[in-house]
Amino acid sequence: MAELDGQLIGHVMFTKTYVAQPDGSKYDTLMVAPLSVLLEYRNAGIGSALMKEGFRIAEASGYGAAFLLGDPNYYQRFGYKPSHLYGILL
């Protein structure tokens, strides 16, 4: 969460999920959604800071991947690419 003077101005949620592998095993991963920032605080780097901190915590917790639902034009700045490029079909 992002706060300013005690007011919540943004948040991001990482939820545990998995990818089923061809052999039937499951690969634990995370799903990112939603990411939100109050309109009057957008374009100030708050969303980027939330994503970066979320990735830091996820990596420290042992996760090697995170998927998301959202605008490809926004999230590509964080290195996201369509999952089908990696053979993952939803």
Side-chain angles (χ1 to χ4, degrees), residues 15-89:
T15 303
K16 184 177 177 180
T17 189
Y18 66 88
V19 174
Q21 300 185 86
D23 66 2
S25 64
K26 296 177 181 178
Y27 179 78
D28 287 338
T29 186
L30 297 169
M31 177 65 69
V32 181
L35 168 66
S36 65
V37 176
L38 287 178
L39 188 57
E40 59 266 33
Y41 295 101
R42 291 186 185 167
N43 299 310
I46 295 167
S48 292
L50 287 166
M51 290 293 290
K52 289 175 185 174
E53 179 64 5
F55 291 147
R56 186 194 67 74
I57 293 169
E59 185 175 14
S61 299
Y63 290 95
F67 294 86
L68 67 87
L69 302 170
D71 179 3
N73 294 322
Y74 178 80
Y75 290 102
Q76 69 184 355
R77 72 181 76 186
F78 302 109
Y80 279 99
K81 297 179 180 148
S83 59
H84 69 85
L85 297 175
Y86 300 94
I88 299 170
L89 306 174

Side-chain angles (χ1 to χ4, degrees), residues 1-12 36-38 46-47 49-50:
M1 295 190 312
E3 292 184 51
L4 180 64
D5 298 327
Q7 177 187 7
L8 177 64
I9 60 170
H11 88 290
V12 66
S36 65
V37 176
L38 287 178
I46 295 167
L50 287 166

